[in-house]
């Protein structure tokens, strides 16, 4: 289906317009940042295999939180999963259960994704809470985490030299919910102080921070940040979460946290948005409507808008979308495809429209350098980049009306394609433009859609990182397979 089958001259004259000028000769001095990370890795429940898609979209980071939830989560990542008996000797390697988490991280590394390791516990929805209460000995908890870090970075307990840089202490302690932190806010501050001081003293070269705050209880976050400033607590990075239907609230929260960090003497502290998704309501009537929307053109358009806005309007150092595991209701980027569990213990996943927002952003990330772009319609999100591999831009219309785009692309070095994702199309090439004719390009951008306009980069070549299996005593289990596309 081409554009002429959807729009005619009459509709074109009536619709809103936007004029966009991108100048690929004018870098703005900002690299494209790793904002297209994921919560959960490419191989989940040892069945759902998204490794090819992680390579295709160049996923740069995986945050380890709620891993394998709700299936098998009792064996992965969380401190009580790795150190099952809190009264055991934390210096004894036999007190630790690393095996399942080792395999999970291997799969992330096999697709060249870096790790954000959340030290703490997963959310607990059951009425009886098991692990969200404050640890009974803060100092011992910190020493346990020290050994977890040593296992993955220093080879302790037949471990690895994986150089995991980001270590996030706890998750959503500000939420005033026993699902995530069943203690008081003052208890959490004391707990963080002990853990952060200990870990930073042991690993001054690593980034120790947290704490995955919800952003919905600012008074609690303010108390925490005030203590960080007054007591000189280590905070190499500050992480927060937000779920919304437009980028406005995430941008406002980022600005609030950036200003607050500056006020407490942490102007250089990195900010990470390490949970986000398309969710505009939490009431029982409207919330259910957003789950199917996450997987269709509405979620896809929001993802593209957020990626553009985070890059062009904030200094967010990195971000991880929640959620990549296809069995979870918040996964908006994959559907489950062909099941082959009884044959090869694996199932393929099928990308949704939303997946292509992340793939399109990755094209700009591969180019590397943000360039100047102007748009006379404030309702349109736009981001442009250039690099040795080409030049391109991502244009997003989250509105409910189509827009007549007129683009002037200056300094374009290659022929370009126009790929459109909307209610009818999924990453579809609707036009190709020769380099010498790219100074003026027109495009109908349908309501709630996005377009990648630029060099048609080939998919990244999958590479098998043999070092990801290098350890003191272990090799890849046969059931996981020895090839990235086994």
């Amino acid at each position: 289906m081409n554009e002429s089958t959807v729009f005619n001259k009459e509709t074109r004259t009536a619709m809103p317009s936007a004029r966009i000028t991108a100048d690929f000769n004018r870098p703005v001095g900002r690299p494209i940042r790793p904002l297209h990370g994921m919560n959960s890795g490419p191989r989940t429940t040892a069945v759902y295999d998204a490794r090819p898609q992680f390579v295709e979209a160049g996923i740069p980071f995986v945050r380890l939180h709620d891993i394998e939830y709700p299936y098998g989560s009792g064996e992965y990542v969380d401190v009580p999963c790795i150190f099952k008996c809190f009264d055991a000797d934390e210096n004894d390697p036999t007190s630790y259960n690393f095996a399942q988490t080792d395999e999970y991280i291997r799969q992330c590394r096999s697709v060249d994704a870096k790790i954000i390791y959340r030290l703490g516990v997963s959310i607990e929805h059951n009425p009886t809470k098991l692990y969200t209460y404050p640890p009974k000995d803060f100092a011992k908890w910190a020493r346990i985490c020290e050994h977890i870090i040593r296992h993955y970075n220093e080879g302790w307990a037949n471990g690895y030299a994986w150089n995991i840089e980001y270590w996030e202490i706890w998750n959503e302690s500000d939420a005033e919910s026993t699902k995530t932190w069943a203690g008081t806010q003052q208890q959490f501050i004391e707990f963080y102080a002990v853990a952060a001081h200990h870990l930073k003293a042991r690993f001054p070269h690593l980034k120790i921070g947290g704490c995955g705050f919800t952003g919905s209880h600012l008074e609690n976050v303010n108390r925490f940040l005030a203590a960080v400033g007054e007591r000189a607590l280590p905070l190499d990075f500050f992480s927060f979460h937000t779920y919304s239907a437009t980028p406005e609230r995430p941008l406002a929260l980022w600005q609030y946290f950036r200003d607050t960090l500056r006020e407490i003497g942490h102007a250089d502290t990195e900010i990470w948005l390490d949970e986000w998704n398309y969710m505009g309501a939490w009431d029982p009537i409207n919330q259910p409507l957003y789950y199917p929307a996450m997987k269709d053109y509405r979620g896809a358009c929001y993802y593209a808008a957020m990626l553009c806005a985070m890059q062009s309007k904030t200094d967010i150092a990195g971000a991880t979308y929640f959620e990549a595991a296809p069995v979870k209701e918040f996964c908006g980027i994959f559907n489950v495809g062909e099941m082959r569990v009884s044959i090869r213990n694996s199932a393929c996943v099928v990308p949704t429209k939303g997946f292509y927002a992340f793939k399109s952003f990755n094209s700009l990330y591969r180019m590397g350098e943000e360039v100047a772009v102007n748009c006379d319609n404030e309702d349109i999100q736009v981001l442009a980049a250039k690099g040795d591999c080409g030049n391109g831009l991502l244009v997003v219309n989250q509105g409910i009306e189509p827009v007549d785009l007129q683009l002037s692309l200056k300094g374009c070095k290659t022929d370009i394609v126009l790929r459109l994702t909307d209610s009818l199309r999924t990453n579809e090439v609707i036009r190709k433009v020769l380099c010498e004719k790219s100074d003026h390009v027109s495009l109908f951008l349908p309501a709630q859609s996005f377009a990648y306009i630029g060099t048609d980069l080939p998919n990244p070549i999958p590479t098998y990182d043999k070092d990801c299996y290098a350890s003191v005593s272990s090799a890849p289990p046969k059931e996981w397979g020895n090839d990235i596309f086994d």
Side-chain angles (χ1 to χ4, degrees):
M1 181 182 294
N2 59 40
E3 292 175 275
S4 62
T5 63
V6 179
F7 301 106
N8 56 38
K9 293 181 180 180
E10 287 73 22
T11 59
R12 179 169 187 165
T13 58
M15 72 176 64
S17 65
R19 295 186 179 277
I20 296 173
T21 300
D23 191 342
F24 297 108
N25 294 317
R26 289 182 55 207
V28 298
R30 288 192 299 265
I32 304 295
R33 302 187 299 278
L35 302 171
H36 52 311
M38 294 288 154
N39 278 260
S40 294
R43 194 81 182 262
T44 57
T45 67
V47 170
Y48 299 96
D49 189 355
R51 288 176 294 175
Q53 290 76 23
F54 267 61
V55 171
E56 183 179 352
I59 303 304
F61 274 92
V62 168
R63 178 177 181 248
L64 303 182
H65 173 65
D66 283 358
I67 296 304
E68 300 291 26
Y69 191 88
Y71 308 111
S73 57
E75 296 294 323
Y76 294 85
V77 175
D78 294 359
V79 172
C81 296
I82 288 181
F83 195 80
K84 289 183 175 289
C85 178
F86 196 81
D87 294 325
D89 180 1
E90 71 270 25
N91 298 303
D92 183 354
T94 64
S95 300
Y96 293 79
N97 170 43
F98 287 116
Q100 301 284 21
T101 304
D102 289 355
E103 297 306 325
Y104 197 93
I105 295 177
R106 280 193 183 102
Q107 299 305 311
C108 299
R109 288 176 53 82
S110 75
V111 295
D112 294 327
K114 296 180 180 179
I115 299 297
I116 302 171
Y117 197 115
R118 190 272 294 122
L119 296 165
V121 298
S122 297
I123 195 169
E124 295 189 27
H125 290 288
N126 289 331
T128 301
K129 309 307 176 191
L130 300 176
Y131 304 117
T132 61
Y133 290 95
K136 61 183 178 180
D137 184 335
F138 295 170
K140 182 172 183 178
W141 189 91
R143 293 194 299 272
I144 293 167
C145 291
E146 174 192 346
H147 285 85
I148 293 173
I149 296 174
R150 288 178 57 198
H151 174 76
Y152 288 112
N153 284 0
E154 297 179 357
W156 183 78
N158 293 325
Y160 308 89
W162 282 348
N163 192 32
I164 298 174
E165 184 178 14
Y166 287 89
W167 297 86
E168 182 181 39
I169 298 175
W170 218 261
N171 174 77
E172 295 189 352
S173 66
D174 64 313
E176 297 184 345
S177 167
T178 56
K179 293 179 180 180
T180 52
W181 173 257
T184 67
Q185 295 302 306
Q186 189 58 40
Q187 281 178 307
F188 182 77
I189 290 171
E190 299 304 323
F191 164 71
Y192 180 87
V194 171
H197 274 309
H198 180 86
L199 296 178
K200 192 63 182 176
R202 294 296 187 274
F203 309 104
H205 59 294
L206 299 181
K207 293 184 177 178
I208 309 298
C211 300
F213 294 111
T214 66
S216 298
H217 299 82
L218 292 180
E219 67 282 2
N220 293 331
V221 183
N222 289 341
R223 290 178 63 187
F224 171 81
L225 290 176
V228 168
E230 293 164 3
R231 298 167 60 172
L233 304 182
L235 188 68
D236 295 322
F237 68 98
F238 172 87
S239 54
F240 77 102
H241 304 161
T242 185
Y243 295 77
S244 63
T246 66
E248 278 72 20
R249 176 167 171 76
L251 296 183
L253 282 172
W254 161 78
Q255 188 64 66
Y256 180 85
F257 293 136
R258 173 52 70 208
D259 292 343
T260 305
L261 286 165
R262 190 177 295 111
E263 290 169 5
I264 67 168
H266 276 259
D268 296 329
T269 293
E270 292 182 8
I271 296 179
W272 281 70
L273 176 54
D274 60 9
E275 278 191 31
W276 65 277
N277 204 328
Y278 183 58
M279 176 60 69
W282 296 99
D283 65 273
I285 295 176
N286 292 297
Q287 182 188 357
L289 303 177
Y290 279 89
Y291 293 108
M294 288 176 185
K295 291 181 179 286
D296 67 21
Y297 65 97
R298 295 165 292 180
C301 186
Y302 173 74
Y303 307 152
M306 274 290 292
L307 291 165
C308 289
M310 284 191 288
Q311 172 64 36
S312 62
K313 299 178 180 179
T314 80
D315 68 354
I316 289 173
T320 51
Y321 168 84
F322 192 91
E323 164 72 52
V327 297
K328 297 182 187 177
E329 67 274 16
F330 278 90
C331 179
I333 61 169
F334 298 130
N335 286 313
V336 176
E338 180 184 59
M339 294 296 296
R340 299 192 300 269
V341 177
S342 62
I343 301 174
R344 300 196 62 183
N345 197 37
S346 66
C348 67
V349 298
V350 178
T352 66
K353 293 177 184 291
F355 170 84
Y356 292 97
F358 294 90
K359 180 177 179 178
S360 296
F361 182 85
N362 186 56
S363 293
L364 306 187
Y365 183 69
R366 291 165 67 184
M367 293 166 191
E369 189 171 21
E370 186 179 350
V371 301
V373 60
N374 293 307
C375 179
D376 65 0
N377 185 332
E378 62 182 13
D379 294 327
I380 300 297
Q381 297 277 359
V382 59
L383 177 68
K386 73 164 188 174
D388 293 340
C389 61
N391 35 239
L393 65 161
L394 185 56
V395 185
V396 188
N397 174 21
Q398 223 188 333
I400 60 173
E401 292 185 281
V403 174
D404 179 13
L405 289 184
Q406 300 297 319
L407 299 102
S408 176
L409 307 181
K410 300 179 179 180
C412 202
K413 299 295 192 296
T414 68
D415 297 341
I416 61 173
V417 298
L418 282 66
R419 291 185 175 271
L420 181 62
T421 298
D422 63 1
S423 62
L424 302 174
R425 308 165 184 80
T426 302
N427 198 42
E428 181 180 323
V429 176
I430 60 171
R431 195 186 317 158
K432 297 182 179 181
V433 179
L434 296 176
C435 177
E436 57 268 25
K437 295 185 178 181
S438 61
D439 57 333
H440 181 77
V441 178
S442 61
L443 171 68
F444 290 112
L445 194 59
Q448 294 181 291
S449 70
F450 69 88
Y452 169 77
I453 302 164
T455 307
D456 199 18
L457 298 179
N459 285 339
I461 298 173
T463 58
Y464 179 62
D465 182 7
K466 292 182 173 60
D467 178 63
C468 78
Y469 286 105
S471 72
V472 175
S473 63
S474 65
K478 291 182 180 179
E479 62 267 23
W480 285 89
N482 293 323
D483 186 273
I484 194 168
F485 296 116
D486 57 272

